[in-house]
Amino acid sequence: MPENHYNESPLLVAVDCVIFGFDGTEIKLLLIHRGFEPLKEKWSLMGGFVQPNEALDEAATRILKQLTGLSGVYMEQLHSFGDPARDPVERTISVAYFALIDIHTYEKQISESYLPEWFSLKKLPKLIFDHRQMVHIAWQRVQYKAALHPILFELLPEKFTMPQLLSLYKAVYDKQLDKRNFMRKLLTTGLLVRQKDKEKETSKRGAYYYKLDKKKYSSNLQAFMSFLPAKEIFR
Amino acid sequence: MPENHYNESPLLVAVDCVIFGFDGTEIKLLLIHRGFEPLKEKWSLMGGFVQPNEALDEAATRILKQLTGLSGVYMEQLHSFGDPARDPVERTISVAYFALIDIHTYEKQISESYLPEWFSLKKLPKLIFDHRQMVHIAWQRVQYKAALHPILFELLPEKFTMPQLLSLYKAVYDKQLDKRNFMRKLLTTGLLVRQKDKEKETSKRGAYYYKLDKKKYSSNLQAFMSFLPAKEIFR
């Protein structure tokens, strides 16, 4: 900042969290009932103001924990939103984050004080302010990133089957995938470790459970590892 | 924001611009001499505070224009930086942007009031606050994005030769490229239109000038168009 105006008018800075989950069939978004005016009772992303001694990532972690009881969740800073008219009460800059969580494991831990609810991404209610835009941009980012990096495992339980994984990718890209090709590419990454037991509720033959090789996974999370024809998906 | 505390303590919000150029050999970064205390005379990114009625993108555009006289430049929001201790005077959140400009075309238009200077990315001076970190993250983003999308043309003049383009990619990834493979991939995109004239200063035979097919370029800027073995580069 080259100009000497530390006497500039300060602004409010908030953090909003776009929290995605997967219920086995659909991608879901976690929303809360806004508890105060304006727009009381409307659906909203979970958010809060950045505290004086708090870094942005810390604020996002605190807010996610408040709502879901969770820590150690996959979360990334998404984008900052600063349209002067985005909050009708007071000028507020919002730094948006997105998080990917396993909907089943954490269902029970979700705080009841905010009456949070999971909504299908395809049937969202009206959201306050520019939250719809945040969700849109967050979802584009997830689709983009997941075509290049293995981040979608964050949405699955610790043990999962190939059909579950396939359903997840189908839900994310809303299209049929070449199952054989997808599985072949996936297995050659060495990311997956086949377990001894099978899931037998959905089919007679059963489907082997897999777990992630945690070490390989963490070291490959930023590596390019594409299971999908990214070019075709985004053309 | 679910909690009713619009009476929260407001913060200062700044925008900082990481401006990259290419001089034909090296990638350069545009820095200014900070004109006020603290850290007066130290090297700094160009930045400024967000005004009460200004969107974030508008602030970034204004600041870039102030320094370089340029508008219509390729610019993207990068990341927001909010460590409580990042600015020793007052808590300031900075929304960083990066810009890619053609160093030659705009050399003359650069404002003299901030004494800006181009520095080689490999020989940067000490920068104030967390600006070094901003530059690092911005440069990683450019390398990442340029491996997937044709954004580097923003760094070249309107007319350029294949050797120039090759030097650019070499400078960006700091490694030798498979020239023939690279050129083949590039030409098959149909992005480039060969001109009738040649550049003859660097070699006797001369090298044809090329221009971008502007229409194809704009519609393909977000498309995946990789001229490089991205997997190898980022492994």
Side-chain angles (χ1 to χ4, degrees):
Chain A
M1 295 145 288
E3 289 151 59
N4 188 1
H5 38 200
Y6 273 103
N7 51 351
E8 285 288 332
S9 36
L11 311 170
L12 290 174
V13 181
V15 159
D16 284 301
C17 296
V18 185
I19 305 168
F20 294 112
F22 176 61
D23 68 359
T25 313
E26 283 189 308
I27 301 294
K28 302 249 172 148
L29 176 69
L30 191 60
L31 296 173
I32 59 159
H33 247 112
R34 185 166 157 102
F36 63 102
E37 297 294 351
L39 302 174
K40 197 177 165 187
E41 303 292 303
K42 297 288 182 237
W43 291 104
S44 159
L45 296 172
M46 180 73 182
F49 290 99
V50 175
Q51 301 299 300
N53 288 307
E54 194 179 43
L56 298 174
D57 288 1
E58 284 167 8
T61 305
R62 170 178 57 81
I63 287 158
L64 190 81
K65 171 117 191 174
Q66 249 175 13
L67 182 65
T68 63
L70 302 177
S71 48
V73 157
Y74 184 92
M75 190 151 64
E76 265 191 51
Q77 197 191 101
L78 178 69
H79 192 82
S80 292
F81 295 80
D83 190 285
R86 58 173 297 280
D87 183 326
V89 178
E90 210 171 320
R91 176 84 198 267
T92 307
I93 307 288
S94 171
V95 185
Y97 281 75
F98 75 88
L100 304 177
I101 75 176
D102 168 12
I103 207 170
H104 295 297
T105 318
Y106 300 122
E107 247 166 3
K108 353 170 200 358
Q109 289 174 277
I110 283 171
S111 150
E112 286 188 17
S113 45
Y114 299 105
L115 300 168
E117 248 175 68
W118 288 100
F119 286 86
S120 160
L121 208 53
K122 288 185 174 170
K123 285 176 210 145
L124 292 184
K126 199 167 155 38
L127 302 181
I128 65 161
F129 305 166
D130 51 1
H131 288 193
R132 184 76 187 226
Q133 193 198 352
M134 289 178 181
V135 173
H136 180 70
I137 291 176
W139 186 240
Q140 281 189 317
R141 176 80 63 93
V142 171
Q143 287 185 313
Y144 184 100
K145 235 190 140 164
L148 301 164
H149 309 283
I151 59 169
L152 293 182
F153 293 104
E154 303 287 343
L155 292 166
L156 289 173
E158 207 190 333
K159 270 167 60 173
F160 50 86
T161 64
M162 277 293 167
Q164 279 178 328
L165 191 56
L166 209 61
S167 302
L168 171 59
Y169 274 81
K170 268 184 198 163
V172 168
Y173 294 104
D174 206 9
K175 58 174 70 179
Q176 293 298 316
L177 299 172
D178 179 341
K179 189 176 162 185
R180 206 180 270 190
N181 202 20
F182 175 79
M183 283 178 60
R184 191 183 46 76
K185 280 196 191 171
L186 199 60
L187 290 171
T188 55
T189 62
L191 276 188
L192 301 186
V193 184
R194 199 169 88 174
Q195 305 300 296
K196 285 180 184 156
D197 49 337
K198 280 183 168 184
E199 187 275 326
K200 289 189 170 176
E201 281 173 39
T202 27
S203 76
K204 268 188 202 165
R205 228 175 113 204
Y208 278 109
Y209 279 116
Y210 287 83
K211 278 188 182 180
L212 273 182
D213 181 325
K214 287 265 155 73
K215 251 195 183 163
K216 269 198 190 151
Y217 177 66
S218 348
S219 62
N220 278 302
L221 198 53
Q222 294 309 318
F224 278 83
M225 195 177 278
S226 177
F227 316 130
L228 294 161
K231 286 189 191 191
E232 283 163 38
I233 283 180
F234 293 103
R235 273 280 178 185
Chain B
M1 296 146 288
E3 290 152 57
N4 188 3
H5 38 205
Y6 273 102
N7 51 351
E8 286 288 333
S9 37
L11 311 170
L12 290 174
V13 180
V15 159
D16 284 301
C17 297
V18 185
I19 305 168
F20 294 111
F22 176 62
D23 68 359
T25 312
E26 282 190 309
I27 300 296
K28 301 248 171 151
L29 176 70
L30 191 59
L31 296 173
I32 59 162
H33 248 112
R34 186 168 157 102
F36 63 105
E37 296 295 351
L39 303 173
K40 199 178 165 186
E41 302 291 301
K42 298 287 181 238
W43 292 103
S44 158
L45 296 172
M46 179 73 182
F49 290 98
V50 176
Q51 300 301 298
N53 287 307
E54 195 178 43
L56 298 173
D57 288 1
E58 284 167 8
T61 305
R62 169 177 59 79
I63 287 157
L64 190 81
K65 171 119 193 172
Q66 248 177 13
L67 183 66
T68 63
L70 303 177
S71 46
V73 157
Y74 184 92
M75 190 152 63
E76 265 190 53
Q77 197 190 102
L78 177 68
H79 192 83
S80 292
F81 294 80
D83 190 285
R86 60 174 295 281
D87 182 326
V89 179
E90 210 171 320
R91 176 84 199 267
T92 307
I93 307 288
S94 171
V95 185
Y97 282 75
F98 75 89
L100 303 177
I101 76 177
D102 167 12
I103 208 169
H104 295 296
T105 317
Y106 300 121
E107 248 166 2
K108 355 171 200 353
Q109 290 173 277
I110 283 172
S111 151
E112 286 188 16
S113 44
Y114 299 103
L115 301 169
E117 246 176 68
W118 288 102
F119 286 86
S120 161
L121 208 54
K122 288 184 174 171
K123 285 176 211 145
L124 292 184
K126 200 167 153 43
L127 302 181
I128 65 162
F129 304 163
D130 51 2
H131 288 193
R132 184 77 187 225
Q133 192 196 354
M134 289 179 183
V135 173
H136 180 70
I137 292 177
W139 186 240
Q140 280 190 318
R141 177 80 62 93
V142 171
Q143 287 184 314
Y144 183 100
K145 233 190 141 163
L148 300 165
H149 309 283
I151 58 169
L152 293 182
F153 294 102
E154 303 287 343
L155 292 166
L156 289 174
E158 206 190 334
K159 270 166 62 173
F160 51 85
T161 63
M162 277 293 165
Q164 279 178 327
L165 191 55
L166 208 62
S167 300
L168 172 58
Y169 274 82
K170 268 185 199 163
V172 168
Y173 294 104
D174 207 9
K175 57 174 69 178
Q176 293 298 316
L177 297 173
D178 179 342
K179 190 176 162 185
R180 204 180 270 191
N181 202 19
F182 176 79
M183 284 179 60
R184 190 183 49 74
K185 280 195 192 171
L186 200 58
L187 289 171
T188 55
T189 62
L191 275 189
L192 300 187
V193 185
R194 197 169 89 173
Q195 305 299 296
K196 284 177 184 158
D197 48 336
K198 280 183 168 184
E199 188 275 326
K200 289 187 170 176
E201 282 172 39
T202 25
S203 76
K204 268 189 201 165
R205 228 175 112 203
Y208 277 109
Y209 280 116
Y210 288 82
K211 278 188 181 179
L212 273 183
D213 181 324
K214 286 266 155 77
K215 251 194 181 163
K216 269 197 192 152
Y217 176 65
S218 344
S219 63
N220 279 302
L221 197 54
Q222 293 310 317
F224 278 84
M225 194 176 279
S226 177
F227 315 130
L228 294 161
K231 285 189 190 189
E232 283 164 36
I233 283 179
F234 293 103
R235 272 283 178 180

